[in-house]
Amino acid sequence: MDLSEKDEFSAEKRNPDNYDSVNNPSGDWRVSGSNPIDSYPSENLISAGPASCSPSQMMDSFGQTLWYDPTSVQAMGYGGFSVQNNGGNASSSSFRGNIDRSLEMGWNLPNLLPPKGNGLFLPNASTFLPPSMAQFPADSGFIERAARFSLFSGGNFSDMVNQPLGNPESIGLFLQGGGTMQGQCQCDELNVGEPHNDVSTAVKDPTVRSCEQAKPNVPGSGNVSEDTQSSGGNGRKGRETSSNTKKRKRNGQNSEAAQSHRSQQSEEEPDNNGDKKRNSEQSPNSPGNKTNSGKRQGKQSSDLPKDGYIHVRARRGQATNSHSLAERVRREKISERMKFLQDLVPGCNKVTGKAVMLDEIINYVQSLQRQVEFLSMKLATVNPQMDFNLEGLLAKDALQLRAGSSSTTTPFTPNMAMAYPPLPHGFMQQTLSSIGRTISSPLSSMNGGFKRQETNGWEGDLQNVIHINYGAGDVTPDPQAAATASLPAANMKVEP
Amino acid sequence: MASADKLINTDVPEKDVFALHFLRSLSNLRTQNPLNSPDKSIDRVRKIKKAAYVSMARAAGGNSRLWSRALLRRAAKDDNKSVRFSRRKRKVTWKISSKRRRSNQRAPVVEEAAERLRNLVPGGGGMETSKLMEETAHYIKCLSMQVKVMQCLVDGLSQK
């Protein structure tokens, strides 16, 4: 029964015979058809608490729609959908209404889960529910996600085989499970066992094609999915938890238990700085759970056990305690940062081992700080009056300070004006003469006595400037000083 | 290298920014002690050093880094008139790692080294180890930049 349902699920490649086999045991179909009715109370929850549980419900409904899709679309004259219609019009219509409602609500939610679920059958679903499904974009990333999703769901079929559950609800659950456990795991799971492979190959064409595309890319692009997940992961996390716990109550499957464990896990670790982790396999519901999931984990750990921010799996043979998992993530973060530091600190490439590395880093920081102190001492001695002759400094440093930025060194604006051409004293005189010119030209209208005064004052001005230059610091606020400031004002603004 | 790593962003401004800030602070120092230079060399050294750190913190991004914030706050506390330090508008939630320090299940080797690092890096007291290492990386970069600037200054001055 399960196998037949799976066949239908993976529809395209199958013969119509399979459809017959599916639909002839219409009791099964009805069972599956009636199961949505069982899920209706849960779907009613969609209206009740959208934020908390709708993804799961939506996934159920999606699963159900997906369930019905292939038959409706491919088996044209046949149609599981027609069967459904025959079976219970009220239920189906109401079910459809639920789907629409859930779809709309799903559309309001962060669009992680719903597109994934629908991407699987988007090509087919478009005929099924055109108004609502048409909303979902069918871009390449979408297909890739769908592929991963299908891969995961394909991978889960082997688990499903053992379970006496044939309802599409379970498939919906698996789809959601695929949504939760996206990333690298899926391909690994596919590589695990033969039933996995069979089912995976039996997956529909577009998904298979994108699977085969996505498969080699997944380990590389796992980060992409992680990022996309991480972007919405925060919003998902809270929802996932409640949905997972609900699912757990419903059927208590291994994967679901795992997801609920994961969700509990994530709930338990709010202190992880906003890391959206979903650690798998919390300490035990039952040894069966552990072994089963441990088997899966073991295979997966060989490839990419963790993605750091979203999804952590316990490695094979390691403790699956929540604390240890958090510990592991933290340790890996630290080691990552240490690698980064290793690049920074010179001469640390040969050093291996955290302790020695850290010692090196500490030594380096200490040496840098000592260097700062030493250089400041040197600066103090070289410049006892702290008369920083900026023009010389800037010239010899060959630092290219921009004019705008240099204007902010206010007290030095007179000096800055002189700093630009890199001739210390000769230019100072030049600038002074230019200053004198600028001063004298507006004042040329004044009487000669004043001019003479100007020239007298000019020398005083020169004295002033020299004082400014050589550590005086107290610029007497005479007009000449103001005039000296006016020249730099020509170049840049003077801050009072 | 730093900008390529999307997880840890330790970009540091160009040398010019550091130089600008440092020179500015030095000039501020000079205006503070106009003609009367009775200060001993030690005081001068200390002032220059402080100016160096403060300017480095400002150049490195003011309030955007934990260590720079801690540095500026420390400096403002000591000497209120020279350093301007504004509180952040939104509250900074400091990660209290003291609780973790007590129950130190984390690798003790790492943790003791982290403790030493915390004493070195300003503001390290309230950080988790991973965050501490990020800050250390940025701090190291800024420190090396500041050292370069100061070295250039000293060379320029000594050549004259």
Side-chain angles (χ1 to χ4, degrees), chain A residues 242-253:
Chain A
S242 49
S243 62
N244 281 332
T245 47
K246 280 205 182 60
K247 287 202 185 4
R248 189 174 168 208
K249 283 172 201 157
R250 239 186 270 138
N251 39 17
Q253 290 178 12

Side-chain angles (χ1 to χ4, degrees), chain A residues 285-302:
Chain A
N285 251 352
S286 64
N289 275 347
K290 217 175 189 174
T291 53
N292 203 352
S293 45
K295 225 190 319 175
R296 259 192 311 159
Q297 291 159 14
K299 305 292 173 67
Q300 290 162 13
S301 68
S302 56

Side-chain angles (χ1 to χ4, degrees), chain A residues 40-58 101-102 105-106 108-109 235 238-243 246 250:
Chain A
Y40 284 160
S42 56
E43 275 193 344
N44 290 336
L45 287 172
I46 293 175
S47 44
S52 60
C53 62
S54 43
S56 63
Q57 314 313 323
M58 264 170 11
R101 196 172 62 230
S102 56
M105 281 173 23
N108 295 334
L109 292 171
R239 263 174 252 115
E240 290 280 339
T241 56
S242 49
S243 62
K246 280 205 182 60
R250 239 186 270 138

Side-chain angles (χ1 to χ4, degrees), chain A residues 1-3 5 28 31-32 35 157-168 170-171 174 250-254:
Chain A
M1 171 176 84
D2 299 326
L3 280 171
E5 286 173 346
D28 300 335
V31 168
S32 61
N35 274 332
F157 283 148
S158 70
D159 287 338
M160 228 180 86
V161 171
N162 305 327
Q163 310 293 331
L165 295 169
N167 48 359
S170 63
I171 292 180
F174 280 122
R250 239 186 270 138
N251 39 17
Q253 290 178 12
N254 277 353

Side-chain angles (χ1 to χ4, degrees), chain B residues 59-105:
Chain B
N63 274 347
S64 59
R65 280 276 161 180
L66 285 172
W67 69 263
S68 64
R69 257 188 81 77
L71 225 172
L72 285 172
R73 200 163 77 198
R74 203 192 291 168
K77 200 168 51 174
D78 297 337
D79 183 33
N80 260 335
K81 55 186 166 106
S82 65
V83 181
R84 245 174 259 142
F85 176 75
S86 59
R87 299 272 159 193
R88 251 193 205 175
K89 296 233 173 76
R90 54 186 172 88
K91 191 154 192 309
V92 178
T93 52
W94 294 92
K95 190 94 190 160
I96 314 271
S97 66
S98 59
K99 157 177 86 148
R100 285 219 186 78
R101 284 195 222 178
R102 263 184 270 123
S103 65
N104 205 356
Q105 319 159 344

